[in-house]
Amino acid sequence: IKSKVTNEQWESICNYALAGVQAAEILIGAGNGAQKFEKAKDYIEQQCAAHGIKIDADTIQIAIENAWKALGLDQKQLPEKETVSEAE
């Protein structure tokens, strides 16, 4: 990926991805992974276009995955287990 964009551009893309993933999580909520991915992807594409950064689908996917992990969203546990414990 870094061969396709400069380090500065990659840093910007990562920032756009963080913002896009956070916004999708807030606006769409739990579940709906495909819808959240599309929301984040659209945001990244808009920001890159506005700042003259050419980006492809693979780069967007990697940026979103990195942002998702950086935000700790891959570590979320399902609340059902806690809910059952509290109910008992």
Side-chain angles (χ1 to χ4, degrees):
I1 292 173
K2 294 210 178 204
S3 64
K4 297 178 186 177
V5 296
T6 67
N7 286 338
E8 185 177 315
Q9 288 173 327
W10 176 243
E11 189 174 317
S12 294
I13 293 166
C14 289
N15 288 332
Y16 303 148
L18 282 170
V21 169
Q22 286 176 321
E25 284 292 324
I26 292 167
L27 296 171
I28 298 170
N32 303 307
Q35 189 179 0
K36 289 190 286 189
F37 180 87
E38 286 301 315
K39 185 85 164 162
K41 179 174 114 10
D42 291 346
Y43 178 78
I44 294 166
E45 287 174 335
Q46 289 171 0
Q47 292 302 310
C48 286
H51 294 93
I53 300 171
K54 291 184 181 182
I55 191 168
D56 62 20
D58 290 337
T59 304
I60 292 172
Q61 176 145 355
I62 291 168
I64 290 173
E65 288 173 3
N66 289 346
W68 187 67
K69 289 176 185 174
L71 292 169
L73 299 172
D74 60 334
Q75 301 299 319
K76 282 190 173 181
Q77 295 183 5
L78 297 176
E80 289 96 32
K81 189 173 184 179
E82 293 177 8
T83 305
V84 170
S85 298
E86 291 172 9
E88 294 173 356

